[in-house]
Amino acid sequence: MKISIVTLGRSHLLNLARVLDTEGLADVTFYTMMPAARCRKFGYHGKVKSLLFPCGLLSVMIDRLPINPFKKSNLRFYVRKLFDALCAMRLSKCDVVIGLNGQAVKTSLLAKKRFKAITICDQGSSHVLTQTKVRRSYSDAKIPEDMTAFMLKHYEAADYLMAATKYVIDSDIQNGISKDKILINPYGVDITRFEPLDVKKEYDVIMVGSWWKHKGCDMLTDACLNHLKGVKMLHVGNVVDCELPKNDNFHHVDFVNEFDLPQYYRKAKVSVMPSLDEGFGLVLLQAASCGLPSVYSNRTGGPELQSLLKDDDWSFEIKEPLSTKSIAEAISQALKKVNESEVKDTERFENTRNNLSWESYGHRYLKILEGLIKSENQ
């Protein structure tokens, strides 16, 4: 099976390419703006068609502009359109095209017309109209209409949409996409890097990811520092549109690369992710692989994590509607369970951690593709 994977930067699809190539499960070509050397750094040694110039260069220039994150996101959209057009020009014969949402419109259309390939829009997030609705609930930042239209075109161009969570599937169906067109496969994590260690806990709660309202950080701050007295909180990541609390019980660490993240997870008792809208929060998987119980909204992939781990004891879903109170209640339950339990981090999920691996994710993806091809050939 020849598979073309299209993603502008590093995403979960690089791990898919790595597993399929390393285990000889498929003939993979990876289309990206990253240089081949960077792909090798993350373990993928297969075929790479890199668009470092001009797409990679343009992306670096945008990242360095002294403008707010919303404007940067709008500019990146035009890089995605250019990337898609150039990938279509360079596309080799294949049986399947997997493109990250909004990055393979022309590529998908060409693959179907020229090669009769099966095309998949891999959704790293919820339906674009749901994203827009959520964004407008906390920000008046303008969302370009042509960006939304381009995302919608990808849904139309693809034969199938690949979601990682039921939340994403529900968002698709609510916006008019047939459930027969939607596939599901939860993401994975490098379980050899994100390993549990029994060490002294410096913090009660850790939140990893961008610090902004989209992640519910304004409510999370209020919950931890005002409603739950004495809770020590660690945040790791960039700061977007929420101010960092000036409180002795709060500690912030700027963005760190993935290789260094495990040491921060191990410092905390509980991982928290109260996002308003996600595809599947990879940080949930990382934290769980390090043995941490998780507090999450049902919009993050938390229910799927619970299913993969086959565990109810260490998963704490925040009740809807999301609020400071509901977040505080879920965190309080999690901390109470941890503080009263003698179960160590290394003992949690020890029988099901393998279900979280990228290898398991890759094998599930391949099984789905084989089923699609078999169905097409009947």
Side-chain angles (χ1 to χ4, degrees):
M1 185 189 309
K2 291 187 176 182
I3 301 175
S4 293
I5 297 179
V6 181
T7 174
L8 186 66
R10 182 180 171 230
S11 71
H12 59 279
L13 292 180
L14 178 59
N15 292 289
L16 174 62
R18 175 182 60 79
V19 173
L20 295 179
D21 177 74
T22 301
E23 299 193 15
L25 302 175
D27 181 358
V28 179
T29 303
F30 193 69
Y31 296 78
T32 181
M33 71 171 184
M34 298 189 300
R38 183 162 177 77
C39 295
R40 308 285 184 258
K41 179 181 177 181
F42 292 101
Y44 174 66
H45 298 276
K47 290 179 285 188
V48 176
K49 290 195 177 181
S50 174
L51 291 163
L52 178 62
F53 180 84
C55 297
L57 179 60
L58 287 171
S59 292
V60 170
M61 292 171 64
I62 291 170
D63 286 342
R64 294 181 178 179
L65 290 175
I67 57 178
N68 71 56
F70 297 108
K71 290 183 178 179
K72 286 185 180 182
S73 178
N74 295 344
L75 288 174
R76 290 191 188 101
F77 159 64
Y78 297 102
V79 177
R80 291 204 303 270
K81 284 191 72 173
L82 175 62
F83 173 71
D84 176 31
L86 294 174
C87 283
M89 292 172 59
R90 299 187 63 185
L91 187 67
S92 301
K93 186 176 181 356
C94 55
D95 303 302
V96 178
V97 167
I98 302 170
L100 196 64
N101 52 333
Q103 298 180 18
V105 179
K106 288 187 176 181
T107 307
S108 296
L109 291 171
L110 183 142
K112 287 200 292 185
K113 181 179 179 180
R114 184 176 297 175
F115 307 127
K116 308 298 181 187
I118 293 173
T119 56
I120 296 174
C121 171
D122 195 293
Q123 293 180 275
S125 52
S126 62
H127 191 284
V128 65
L129 296 182
T130 296
Q131 293 179 54
T132 299
K133 183 179 179 180
V134 172
R135 172 88 63 92
R136 286 174 177 161
S137 72
Y138 65 83
S139 172
D140 58 2
K142 186 177 180 181
I143 302 172
E145 292 183 5
D146 52 350
M147 181 166 66
T148 299
F150 192 70
M151 295 285 284
L152 292 173
K153 285 181 180 178
H154 196 177
Y155 300 153
E156 295 173 4
D159 296 315
Y160 300 96
L161 307 185
M162 179 68 79
T165 68
K166 183 179 180 298
Y167 170 73
V168 173
I169 291 176
D170 290 343
S171 75
D172 288 337
I173 294 172
Q174 289 165 9
N175 287 288
I177 294 177
S178 169
K179 63 180 180 181
D180 295 332
K181 186 174 179 174
I182 310 170
L183 312 168
I184 185 167
N185 185 18
Y187 298 152
V189 68
D190 184 347
I191 63 173
T192 64
R193 179 178 301 143
F194 291 90
E195 291 184 293
L197 291 177
D198 292 318
V199 297
K200 182 180 178 181
K201 303 297 185 180
E202 300 177 38
Y203 302 95
D204 297 295
V205 170
I206 183 171
M207 186 270 180
V208 176
S210 296
W211 189 255
W212 61 324
K213 293 177 182 177
H214 190 90
K215 301 281 188 183
C217 292
D218 49 346
M219 294 184 288
L220 177 60
T221 299
D222 195 16
C224 285
L225 303 182
N226 296 326
H227 282 62
L228 299 172
K229 301 297 184 181
V231 168
K232 292 185 177 181
M233 180 180 177
L234 171 64
H235 169 250
V236 181
N238 295 322
V239 178
V240 182
D241 65 356
C242 281
E243 288 188 13
L244 293 172
K246 296 178 181 178
N247 188 301
D248 290 340
N249 284 337
F250 179 86
H251 183 65
H252 164 74
V253 176
D254 285 332
F255 174 83
V256 300
N257 66 55
E258 183 178 303
F259 295 97
D260 295 325
L261 272 177
Q263 64 176 303
Y264 293 100
Y265 285 117
R266 293 165 185 151
K267 293 180 179 181
K269 296 178 181 178
V270 172
S271 167
V272 181
M273 193 176 192
S275 295
L276 306 183
D277 178 67
E278 293 280 346
F280 195 134
L282 290 176
V283 296
L284 283 175
L285 293 160
Q286 294 170 353
S289 190
C290 288
L292 271 67
S294 295
V295 174
Y296 51 78
S297 73
N298 65 9
R299 315 171 194 186
T300 60
E304 284 69 30
L305 171 66
Q306 182 182 20
S307 178
L308 288 171
L309 291 172
K310 305 183 187 306
D311 175 85
D312 295 324
D313 291 339
W314 302 101
S315 300
F316 302 85
E317 185 172 314
I318 302 166
K319 293 180 181 179
E320 292 283 348
L322 289 182
S323 66
T324 295
K325 182 181 178 181
S326 62
I327 293 171
E329 287 176 348
I331 292 174
S332 178
Q333 292 172 6
L335 289 176
K336 184 175 186 294
K337 181 68 180 287
V338 171
N339 290 333
E340 292 178 353
S341 174
E342 295 182 358
V343 177
K344 300 177 181 178
D345 289 3
T346 50
E347 297 170 338
R348 293 190 199 112
F349 322 132
E350 60 183 347
N351 295 322
T352 52
R353 275 183 76 244
N354 283 336
N355 294 340
L356 305 183
S357 71
W358 283 121
E359 285 68 27
S360 294
Y361 162 77
H363 283 274
R364 291 193 300 266
Y365 214 124
L366 181 66
K367 186 176 181 180
I368 292 169
L369 295 180
E370 289 174 339
L372 294 178
I373 289 178
K374 183 179 179 180
S375 178
E376 292 283 333
N377 291 335
Q378 286 180 346

